[in-house]
Amino acid sequence: MKEDERQREAREALERVARDSEALGSSALARSARQVGDHFAGKDAIGSAEGGETDPAELWGRRIGRALSVLGVLALTYWVGLQSGWW
């Protein structure tokens, strides 16, 4: 039991070191760009189905929905700009 606890603590320490070194090794802009890219690629849907599998319909549904949301924001921004007389 004591050996299992030591292994768990060692594994957690290694994960913390890896996470901290990753945060220091790249710029905030690069990390943010990677997170945005992963979000719009639907990477959070990978492995989220029952049994750890990836449901292709859910993955593509998220991708399409997120792309449509970006188009909607751009269209609304353009419309507000026209109504406000900015362009």
Side-chain angles (χ1 to χ4, degrees), residues 17-34:
V17 167
R19 184 178 57 241
D20 293 345
S21 66
E22 178 183 316
L24 295 174
S26 62
S27 70
L29 183 61
R31 280 194 314 272
S32 296
R34 191 176 329 111

Side-chain angles (χ1 to χ4, degrees), residues 2-81:
K2 192 157 183 110
E3 191 68 30
D4 291 336
E5 185 176 325
R6 288 180 60 200
Q7 287 180 349
R8 183 184 55 79
E9 289 175 2
R11 193 175 316 111
E12 288 175 357
L14 288 173
E15 289 172 358
R16 278 194 309 272
V17 167
R19 184 178 57 241
D20 293 345
S21 66
E22 178 183 316
L24 295 174
S26 62
S27 70
L29 183 61
R31 280 194 314 272
S32 296
R34 191 176 329 111
Q35 288 174 346
V36 168
D38 288 348
H39 176 74
F40 283 103
K43 295 233 175 155
D44 55 343
I46 295 176
S48 64
E50 193 171 317
E53 299 175 1
T54 301
D55 182 13
E58 182 179 357
L59 178 65
W60 280 100
R62 287 184 188 205
R63 288 177 178 171
I64 291 169
R66 290 171 182 175
L68 288 174
S69 71
V70 168
L71 291 175
V73 166
L74 292 175
L76 285 173
T77 302
Y78 179 73
W79 180 77
V80 166

